[in-house]
Amino acid sequence: MKIQNLVLGFLLVSLSYSCAFRRISRTKEITYLQAGDSIPEKQLNVFAPKKEGNYPVLLFVHGGSWNSGKKEIYDFFGSRMARRKVVTVVIDYPLAPDYKVYTMEKAVVQAVNWIEENIEGYGGDPEQIYISGHSAGAHLAALTAMKASLFPEGTPIKGAILNDPGGLDMDRYLADSGQTTGKKYLKAFTQDPQVWKENSPINFLGNTDVPMIIMEGGNTYPSITQTVGIFRKAAEEKGIPLEYSFYPRKHHIPMMTQFFFTWTRGYRDVLGFIEEQGQSQKAVIGPSVQ
């Protein structure tokens, strides 16, 4: 998977040079995570329409097996989403083996807090915060959206978009394969089964009412196919609404690289989900009083 991540990085960085960046603004290297006890300083990039507005906001968490990846690879995605009138925030976060999954989770939560406090200055609506990620990033996005304890005063997240998510049931996966195929992930998840349990999104189904959509590639990794299936079945048994979009013949990395091309189904799913949830929110709140 590391080789594929390197290929992904090379491809996307190379392609991004051909992008036109008109009509959007890019603000980079904003510190959102201050260095502290066992936590490193980390930065984020903001991509926003130049035209003033009150746009929905998407926080994107990159993949990379919890041990690789960087925000710059995804400039293309932030730029294209901003052109579609979505303020997009792409973050770096602590990586294994130096840091564990619970530190990564803290970083993503802090990114959400930063957005809620600061995004109006970039044309974003703090009442319309969505979170997304690919692969390991989708796992962290799911955790952040689903664990109510992370936001004691109530989550500000209005929806979660999980692109070919890994680790939705890491508890079961590591219990079954922690000494074989899953051994490489123990640098992030530790040897402690309690950590696996506390960082498996499936264990928090129904903990919040954040709407979710899963986008799954038909030719993705078998472990993703298996855990997505288990997660969907668990959601169905609990009566939890979960949108699902299946991409026949699509492999894991192309589930992200498709976003380089503006006409792809991925954009229809992401933008459609954001629009759908925005309309639902307006229906609940009702018309504004003049």
Side-chain angles (χ1 to χ4, degrees):
M1 189 180 291
K2 265 193 173 180
I3 293 175
Q4 289 173 309
N5 288 331
L6 289 172
V7 172
L8 170 64
F10 176 78
L11 173 64
L12 296 186
V13 170
S14 299
L15 290 174
S16 68
Y17 284 115
S18 66
C19 297
F21 294 107
R22 294 174 297 172
R23 301 186 304 279
I24 67 169
S25 65
R26 293 174 293 158
T27 310
K28 294 193 168 186
E29 300 303 325
I30 304 169
T31 297
Y32 77 94
L33 186 66
Q34 300 290 341
D37 185 22
S38 301
I39 295 179
E41 181 179 294
K42 288 296 174 182
Q43 285 74 37
L44 56 77
N45 295 339
V46 179
F47 302 81
K50 280 193 173 180
K51 185 177 180 180
E52 291 186 9
N54 194 38
Y55 302 105
V57 183
L58 182 68
L59 168 60
F60 179 77
V61 187
H62 69 73
S65 301
W66 299 276
N67 65 8
S68 64
K70 58 183 180 179
K71 64 185 184 304
E72 286 77 17
I73 293 174
Y74 302 91
D75 281 3
F76 80 101
F77 181 66
S79 298
R80 281 158 172 71
M81 289 298 292
R83 289 198 194 96
R84 287 159 176 77
K85 299 182 179 180
V86 177
V87 175
T88 304
V89 178
V90 185
I91 66 168
D92 275 335
Y93 58 90
L95 298 172
D98 295 331
Y99 299 96
K100 306 308 177 187
V101 64
Y102 38 76
T103 304
M104 303 175 199
E105 178 191 75
K106 288 179 182 177
V108 180
V109 171
Q110 181 55 32
V112 174
N113 291 335
W114 184 93
I115 289 171
E116 191 174 24
E117 294 169 5
N118 297 280
I119 208 63
E120 282 185 290
Y122 301 87
D125 182 356
E127 297 296 326
Q128 293 189 73
I129 300 174
Y130 300 88
I131 189 168
S132 180
H134 172 246
S135 192
H139 161 266
L140 295 171
L143 277 178
T144 306
M146 296 172 63
K147 290 176 72 171
S149 61
L150 299 177
F151 299 97
E153 296 182 4
T155 180
I157 298 171
K158 303 305 179 186
I161 301 162
L162 312 180
N163 185 357
D164 224 37
L168 292 180
D169 189 6
M170 212 60 176
D171 189 7
R172 180 195 301 249
Y173 177 73
L174 289 177
D176 292 344
S177 64
Q179 299 305 318
T180 54
T181 57
K183 189 175 182 178
K184 57 187 174 181
Y185 301 121
L186 296 178
K187 291 181 180 179
F189 284 84
T190 80
Q191 298 276 356
D192 186 353
Q194 186 63 28
V195 173
W196 309 346
K197 181 178 181 180
E198 292 173 355
N199 291 279
S200 292
I202 196 169
N203 294 331
F204 301 94
L205 272 169
N207 210 225
T208 70
D209 58 359
V210 175
M212 291 180 287
I213 180 172
I214 291 178
M215 303 158 59
E216 182 188 0
N219 286 332
T220 189
Y221 300 121
S223 60
I224 290 179
T225 299
Q226 180 183 29
T227 54
V228 166
I230 292 170
F231 188 87
R232 291 179 63 207
K233 182 178 180 181
E236 182 180 1
E237 290 174 350
K238 291 188 174 185
I240 297 169
L242 174 66
E243 294 188 35
Y244 176 71
S245 187
F246 184 71
Y247 291 64
R249 298 180 298 280
K250 190 74 86 176
H251 291 266
H252 182 63
I253 298 300
M255 284 296 291
M256 190 66 223
T257 56
Q258 68 172 310
F259 288 96
F260 182 78
F261 304 101
T262 58
W263 61 84
T264 55
R265 177 181 166 192
Y267 279 112
R268 294 196 297 272
D269 277 343
V270 172
L271 296 170
F273 180 80
I274 290 174
E275 181 179 5
E276 176 188 350
Q277 301 311 318
Q279 290 175 347
S280 298
Q281 184 181 357
K282 289 178 182 178
V284 171
I285 297 174
S288 60
V289 178
Q290 301 294 327

